[in-house]
Amino acid sequence: MESKHTKIITTPLLFTPGPTPSPEFIRNAMAIPTLHHRTPEFESIFSTARARLLKMLEMPEVLMLASSGTGAMEAAIANFSTKKILTINSGKFGERFGAIGRALGREVVEIINEWDTPVSVDSILQNLDSNVECVCFQICESAGGLSHPYKEIAKALKERSPHTFVIADAITAMGVERLDVSHIDVLIGGSQKAFMLPPGLAILGLSSYSVKHIESNSCGYYFNLGKELKNQRKNTTAYTAPTSIIIGLKAYFDMLESTGFNMDDIYHYTAKVATATRKSLESLGLKIYPKTPSNSMSVVIAEYAKDVAKILKNDFKINLAGGQDRLKDRIFRINHMGYIPLHEISFVLNAIELALDKLSIRKFDSSANRTFFESLI
Ligand SMILES: *Cc1c(COP(=O)(O)O)cnc(C)c1O
């Protein structure tokens, strides 16, 4: 029997596409004694975080809400529709938009696709009629790591129907890639993905068209976006703000500024690591699941996906994400959001190659790391 002394000593690695690990500088920043939210001290932190978000998103307004990402999805449907919405369902999160719409009593028209297949612009236009008040879709559908053609969708929608609100769930796209928001009215983000913060803060970027709407038509109580906007323009919130997460958000932007990096550097790094990871996985004969992969995560489909994830967890303490529903036990997902040090992703790829060897699928020959590093150069 194996003695416990032969076990590898390594810190557990969280490699799920949300929540992502919080780096030490963020955890330290959040560890200060509790600040009251109605103080000049906190308002100054809020103001800085808000200004940096506005700059990052390149949108005229932004709101921060104390909720997970789903709260912002609900707030968007509640405030920008009254009767009918169109939703794109290519996975769990697209399905959620439809479920929220029905829970709020909206008529929901849903375009359902396979989880590896991006929605076509034509199918959206075919399902659009003059009663549809908003169209809701994911920029990256995290269920399968699928990227939808969001720029083309948003542009075609606004050309055909300028009054329709374009609501984009960018929870696994914000902080991953530079987003073209020219035709997007509501852009939704969440703290626990690329921002590397704890869960509990949702972000909504707003176009001038959507700002005008909520200034006069807002509804609901906790998620009343008009009321929030009035407060947040004065650097405060309608209800108690998630102060520590906002302090962490400011620390995220401060770190970028103090190290001389900017968001484009993050986007460039993430894209490079994602591309190199996919090449590495393919060099092992593994199949990337989505037809149009997002750079936020790499998703592999294999009949032995569950066994690979199990070996990574037990032998290397690496926590990958599996699949849900129809993809249960059929895929594994590797996170690229936030800042992933090269030695960590390299360790993960090496462990996957070793797992394939252990499962007698493929002999280990260091291809995974060789391909990864060759692709990075
Ligand atoms: C994580 C995620 C969400 C939000 O989930 P919460 O658990 O409510 O934060 C929504 N959409 C996508 C695409 C996601 O990846």
Side-chain angles (χ1 to χ4, degrees), residues 323-337:
Q324 293 171 286
D325 279 8
R326 69 180 77 179
L327 291 179
K328 189 166 167 19
D329 299 337
R330 294 179 59 211
I331 59 165
F332 59 81
R333 296 178 289 164
I334 306 167
N335 173 51
H336 302 308
M337 292 178 285

Side-chain angles (χ1 to χ4, degrees), residues 17-19 67-73 92-94 96-97 138-143 169-173 188-193 199-202 297 333 337:
S67 87
S68 85
T70 306
M73 294 166 75
K92 285 307 283 178
F93 295 99
R96 187 171 297 178
F97 265 138
Q138 274 59 42
I139 290 182
C140 164
E141 169 53 80
S142 315
D169 168 358
I171 294 176
T172 44
I188 299 170
S191 54
Q192 80 275 30
K193 309 279 165 94
L201 180 75
M297 66 192 80
R333 296 178 289 164
M337 292 178 285

Side-chain angles (χ1 to χ4, degrees), residues 115-135:
W115 291 13
D116 64 346
T117 308
V119 68
S120 80
V121 175
D122 281 350
S123 70
I124 295 180
L125 294 181
Q126 277 159 23
N127 282 282
L128 190 68
D129 67 54
S130 59
N131 295 326
V132 170
E133 299 154 285
C134 54
V135 178

Side-chain angles (χ1 to χ4, degrees), residues 182-197:
S182 320
H183 305 286
I184 290 175
D185 293 304
V186 183
L187 186 76
I188 299 170
S191 54
Q192 80 275 30
K193 309 279 165 94
F195 292 108
M196 304 180 283
L197 297 164

Side-chain angles (χ1 to χ4, degrees), residues 116-227:
D116 64 346
T117 308
V119 68
S120 80
V121 175
D122 281 350
S123 70
I124 295 180
L125 294 181
Q126 277 159 23
N127 282 282
L128 190 68
D129 67 54
S130 59
N131 295 326
V132 170
E133 299 154 285
C134 54
V135 178
C136 310
F137 56 88
Q138 274 59 42
I139 290 182
C140 164
E141 169 53 80
S142 315
L146 172 73
S147 187
H148 281 303
Y150 78 95
K151 279 181 255 187
E152 292 77 7
I153 295 171
K155 186 161 183 283
L157 274 171
K158 283 295 183 186
E159 275 169 13
R160 171 74 63 89
S161 176
H163 71 275
T164 303
F165 290 100
V166 175
I167 296 177
D169 168 358
I171 294 176
T172 44
M174 196 180 280
V176 171
E177 58 182 307
R178 174 164 230 121
L179 296 172
D180 179 347
V181 292
S182 320
H183 305 286
I184 290 175
D185 293 304
V186 183
L187 186 76
I188 299 170
S191 54
Q192 80 275 30
K193 309 279 165 94
F195 292 108
M196 304 180 283
L197 297 164
L201 180 75
I203 294 162
L204 291 111
L206 302 171
S207 69
S208 46
Y209 177 53
S210 57
V211 166
K212 215 171 281 155
H213 177 81
I214 57 171
E215 278 173 342
S216 49
N217 294 291
S218 217
C219 64
Y221 192 83
Y222 187 71
F223 287 138
N224 186 305
L225 299 184
K227 186 161 53 179

